[in-house]
Amino acid sequence: MDSFVGSAETTLEGGPMEAVFIRAPRIRRVGPDVETLGWLKHEPVLVRERNILAATFHPELSMDDRAHRLLVAQIGGR
């Protein structure tokens, strides 16, 4: 996928989030224990399985800090 900035739908509080994709990989399918937290054009872009969080975009490049807050909450605020 080429580089671009898009608006990803998300299950996180606050609605869609800005997502900066830089030569982004794609998640083609998810297993039964994987929770899709964000998607763009029906494709997963933010997923979680137990203690693993993965994104196909760069959350550090936008002003939206919800992915970072989710990660911090997941590790217990440490």
Side-chain angles (χ1 to χ4, degrees), residues 2-70:
D2 294 329
S3 301
F4 67 97
V5 177
S7 180
E9 295 296 324
T10 180
T11 60
L12 303 178
E13 185 175 323
M17 66 180 357
E18 181 181 54
V20 180
F21 296 88
I22 301 175
R23 295 180 302 280
R26 295 173 105 161
I27 299 172
R28 295 292 186 175
R29 62 180 182 250
V30 297
D33 297 329
V34 175
E35 178 183 8
T36 300
L37 302 172
W39 59 96
L40 182 71
K41 298 181 182 176
H42 307 289
E43 289 189 21
V45 296
L46 180 63
V47 295
R48 173 173 56 191
E49 183 177 0
R50 292 186 304 276
N51 65 339
I52 299 169
L53 185 64
T56 62
F57 60 96
H58 290 268
E60 74 278 7
L61 296 179
S62 81
M63 297 302 292
D64 192 325
D65 67 351
R66 288 180 287 164
H68 293 98
R69 286 188 281 143
L70 176 63

